[in-house]
Amino acid sequence: MAQLTEKEKMLKGELYYAFSPELIRERNYCARVCNRLNNEPELTRRLMVKHWRNLQLDDTPMPPELPDQEADDAQFPDEPWITPPVRMDYGYNVKCGKNVYFNFGCTFIDGRLITFGSRTLVGPNVSFYTGSHPTDPVIRNGTNGPEFGKEIHIGEDCWIGGNVIILPGVTVGDGAILGAGSVVTKNVPSFHMVAGNPARIIKELPRSSNPDLKTGAEVPMADMAEKLEDGSRF
């Protein structure tokens, strides 16, 4: 049996060496594409989609450009919206459904897959970390040691507040809300709100598919910290 490459080990979640020539080349390519995206003087919808597809290694031909800007924008109704700057390690491991939005300053350590369900909204300065390292410093061994990763999966219709950090192996269920500044270390059930460091469940969320839950005004994210401090529930 042929020995796995470091990239193949990375994608399988095994220990791998990140400073192999192949992975260095791929990170450098991703950095160049991110730099172009981040420094466009006028980031049109067409340019945004073009850079996104380059990050995805997607060679699907772009539709012919239309002279009317709005009409041309309308040719890309489902691809993600990205407000720069954005940082990724590889780019091709970030997969999105339809109508996903990333606000500015998002970071993706995407040695493993990071998926987003349709209509999910991501606030500014949110970080998704699939990467991890051995806890034994002798094995960890700085840049000469191995690392590994665990996938992150975000469901459909989620809302992730600003400055949230999502750690390796986390799955967030459909319709969940992650309060601003949360550090998410464990899975989040569908249609639940979490907040805090580490994030904990605040309440179950109303939805049209569950008439047993009361509907009403949403609690602003800015109020979450105060609620957490006094121990009350929303």
Side-chain angles (χ1 to χ4, degrees):
M1 180 180 295
Q3 186 174 359
L4 294 178
T5 66
E6 298 307 315
K7 178 178 178 178
E8 289 170 335
K9 294 175 187 176
M10 177 185 79
L11 296 176
K12 289 171 65 69
E14 299 179 2
L15 287 171
Y16 72 97
Y17 291 89
F19 292 92
S20 66
E22 180 182 23
L23 293 179
I24 291 172
R25 284 195 302 271
E26 292 194 345
R27 290 196 299 275
N28 286 341
Y29 169 80
C30 183
R32 290 195 298 271
V33 177
C34 285
N35 188 58
R36 289 195 289 268
L37 169 63
N38 294 337
N39 290 286
E40 286 287 358
E42 183 176 351
L43 185 61
T44 64
R45 181 69 169 141
R46 172 174 288 274
L47 283 172
M48 183 186 300
V49 172
K50 175 186 175 182
H51 293 314
W52 172 255
R53 290 186 182 179
N54 286 338
L55 287 168
Q56 296 285 292
L57 308 181
D58 179 357
D59 58 2
T60 302
M62 299 283 284
E65 186 169 3
L66 301 177
D68 180 75
Q69 183 72 63
E70 289 189 14
D72 194 54
D73 291 352
Q75 296 190 95
F76 310 101
D78 296 330
E79 307 220 27
W81 285 83
I82 306 163
T83 301
V86 62
R87 299 295 179 195
M88 298 179 174
D89 271 348
Y90 300 97
Y92 55 72
N93 279 329
V94 180
K95 304 297 182 183
C96 296
K98 297 179 179 180
N99 310 125
V100 174
Y101 174 66
F102 300 106
N103 212 322
F104 60 82
C106 288
T107 299
F108 304 83
I109 305 301
D110 63 322
R112 298 297 307 283
L113 198 62
I114 305 175
T115 64
F116 298 87
S118 296
R119 300 171 301 280
T120 283
L121 305 175
V122 180
N125 301 311
V126 176
S127 298
F128 302 88
Y129 300 151
T130 69
S132 191
H133 299 271
T135 56
D136 186 333
V138 175
I139 299 174
R140 192 164 60 242
N141 195 25
T143 58
N144 292 320
E147 57 188 84
F148 65 98
K150 296 180 180 180
E151 295 182 0
I152 292 173
H153 298 286
I154 311 298
E156 296 184 340
D157 300 297
C158 295
W159 174 20
I160 301 176
N163 293 290
V164 169
I165 298 173
I166 299 179
L167 296 185
V170 166
T171 294
V172 177
D174 294 345
I177 296 177
L178 313 185
S182 298
V183 178
V184 185
T185 62
K186 297 180 180 179
N187 293 347
V188 178
S190 296
F191 296 100
H192 280 72
M193 178 187 292
V194 303
N197 180 9
R200 59 186 177 88
I201 291 175
I202 303 302
K203 70 171 183 176
E204 189 173 1
L205 295 166
R207 56 206 186 272
S208 58
S209 60
N210 186 353
D212 294 331
L213 288 175
K214 296 179 180 179
T215 59
E218 292 294 336
V219 178
M221 284 194 171
D223 295 342
M224 287 186 181
E226 180 179 347
K227 296 286 187 179
L228 285 169
E229 286 176 1
D230 65 19
S232 62
R233 297 179 65 85
F234 289 81

